[in-house]
Amino acid sequence: MSNINNNGVDMNNQTLTELSFSAVKEINDEVAATCSGGDGYINGPDPDVILFTNPGYNGGSLGVNAAGNDGVRYVGDNFNDQISSIQIVRGTWNLFRDPNYQGFLGQFGPGSYPILTGSYRDGGTNDNIASLLRVG
């Protein structure tokens, strides 16, 4: 393989930061989720939503990042039907009772929700969330 040389700068074995191209810049989490081609990701930096297993932002927590029309198809066994409080930092989110965005429970915008209301039996959101989708 030949050496790559651009304007007198040896680009072999250089990181993108070291090269400092104006066209190469750090991308934020939302753009990264979009570029990755799909679902949001769990427990990345600077989450858009933080889910908690207990009221008052206590218990186990799960951070979620996603671009519009992306989300988490299943929150995982440790959080399925266990979420009791939510902090939404960015975006508008639809919450669902079942995996794969099935069983719509409600739409929530930025804010803090220290206790989710209603139980599984009455169709509420407390201990009833399996997936979530960013819609705005």
Side-chain angles (χ1 to χ4, degrees):
M1 186 191 257
S2 64
N3 284 344
I4 301 171
N5 192 294
N6 185 14
N7 297 326
V9 176
D10 181 7
M11 297 191 305
N12 291 311
N13 299 318
Q14 298 290 309
T15 67
L16 294 175
T17 303
E18 292 169 328
L19 293 174
S20 299
F21 288 159
S22 61
V24 177
K25 63 179 183 174
E26 187 176 324
I27 58 176
N28 66 26
D29 295 333
E30 185 171 330
V31 173
T34 302
C35 292
S36 68
D39 293 336
Y41 57 95
I42 295 177
N43 284 333
D46 192 27
D48 298 326
V49 175
I50 307 169
L51 311 169
F52 298 89
T53 56
N54 294 333
Y57 320 113
N58 292 302
S61 65
L62 182 71
V64 175
N65 294 77
N69 297 316
D70 285 336
V72 175
R73 294 178 185 277
Y74 180 63
V75 295
D77 291 338
N78 293 334
F79 289 88
N80 183 37
D81 295 340
Q82 308 256 343
I83 298 163
S84 294
S85 57
I86 300 176
Q87 290 179 328
I88 299 179
V89 180
R90 285 178 293 280
T92 301
W93 293 79
N94 286 349
L95 306 180
F96 299 89
R97 175 179 40 258
D98 301 314
N100 298 314
Y101 318 126
Q102 301 297 311
F104 179 75
L105 292 169
Q107 189 173 85
F108 292 77
S112 295
Y113 304 89
I115 186 162
L116 298 175
T117 58
S119 66
Y120 180 81
R121 284 183 219 99
D122 64 15
T125 51
N126 187 46
D127 291 342
N128 201 17
I129 298 168
S131 60
L132 60 157
L133 178 70
R134 185 169 179 175
V135 295

